[in-house]
Amino acid sequence: MSFSVPQSRNLVTELPGPRSRELLERRRRAVSRGAGTLADIFMDHGSGAILVDVDGNRVIDLGCGIGVTTIGHAHPDVAAAASAQASKLTHALFTVTPYEDYVRVAEKLAEITPGDFEKRSILVNSGAEAVENAVKIARKHTGRRAIASLDHAFHGRTNLTMAMTYRPWPERAGMGPFPGELYSVPSSYPFKDGLSGPDAAARTIDYVVTHIGASELAALFVEPIQGDGGVVIPADGYFEALAEFCAAHGIVFVADEIQAGIARTGAWYSIEHFDVVPDLVTTAKGIAGGFPLAAVTGRAEIMDAVQPGGIGGTFGGNPVSTAAALATFEVIERDGLIAEAQRVERAFTARIGDWADRFPVVGEVRGRGAMWGAELVVPGTRTPNPGALKAVIGHAAANGVIVLDAGSWDSVLRFLPSVVISEELVDDAASVIEEELARQSG
Ligand SMILES: *Cc1c(COP(=O)(O)O)cnc(C)c1O
């Protein structure tokens, strides 16, 4: 792999630098504070796992703009495909006059999503829009209204998906009212609940039966690995039992793969780590190398339950985005990026896998592929430690390492690097983070 920017950290000013601070001032006057930022460093360009800011600092990106640039920043193949398409046709609206790339993306999604059955897809603009459409489709197919999502879930920020998202703050506070018939049900969170998969599933199912009624439930939404919830990987057997329950009661099982899908966890889709085939899958973030595109894919009889015109939207499946997605799929296959994600898993396991033994402020480290979380606790307890998380993220950013926050208690350090990140960068970034972990442990 070749990169247009050296794959190393290099700071030439303090962070944020003078140009970033200037832009920050203008930002404050022009942009709503509602669009809060994690690190006040304005970026100019990037390549691979490195971002270069407006002051010329090279920073290590362990966030990928929340798991989007999985194949690396400004991938040249994606750039070429998008720019070629941009001078050919930028918009036609598939539901007015169709074009081939939309069909090709749908064909590819049918191939890479789990399940050996006939599938259909629709393309939309954002993850939240995909989730909303999956809700509409599941309701239409089942003739039922109730929708369940798991505790600690993140499904988006539109009015409907905000209500399917677990945390009140900052995602929901003060912005209701929310639509009804949406239920948050207990999940499997081994670090917190200590339950086996079957026991956690029994608790979830009991909640559904006693609060909603199995025959009332249209769909159960799960993130196979919860992202914003704190990189939570459920206990073995949890999803298997839930999927069985859903199948027995005609409930649509939806895997929200918006964050964990598209090679991120060392498989096309993270549900492949479990012995479950979902009825519907939502895809977004990593699908088009940074261009906005999202999809709902699933069983033909469910997807086709909707009347023509029942789903759609002006920009959904935009030609430039579909061209970028096709290039992204090709890069993943040609460059073996699913195997690269598995390499990143080995690198993280080797480099940070023992943090819980080495730093009392770390309660647990967990992850798959290039998706990792470190649960920060008050040393000697399992109490969430949001103060330590803030300190670690601040120290990392000031030293040119972008890491993400997560978790219902704001206490999970989250890593979503590009799958092309080198072992050297993982090591350098980990060393910076460890300086603060040691301080917070002392
Ligand atoms: C990011 C995310 C969404 C929302 O996607 P947007 O493109 O931000 O609307 C939904 N579900 C999951 C699991 C996500 O990570």
Side-chain angles (χ1 to χ4, degrees), residues 66 125-131 153-158 161 165 222-223 225-228 256-260 282 284-285 293-294 414:
I66 316 208
N125 302 292
S126 70
E129 198 185 348
V131 172
F154 182 87
H155 293 300
R157 291 169 177 280
T158 57
T161 58
T165 288
V222 309
E223 294 160 84
I225 297 178
Q226 289 183 324
D228 288 52
D256 180 349
E257 293 269 9
I258 288 166
Q259 190 161 145
T282 55
K285 292 188 166 84
L293 185 70
R414 176 171 43 153

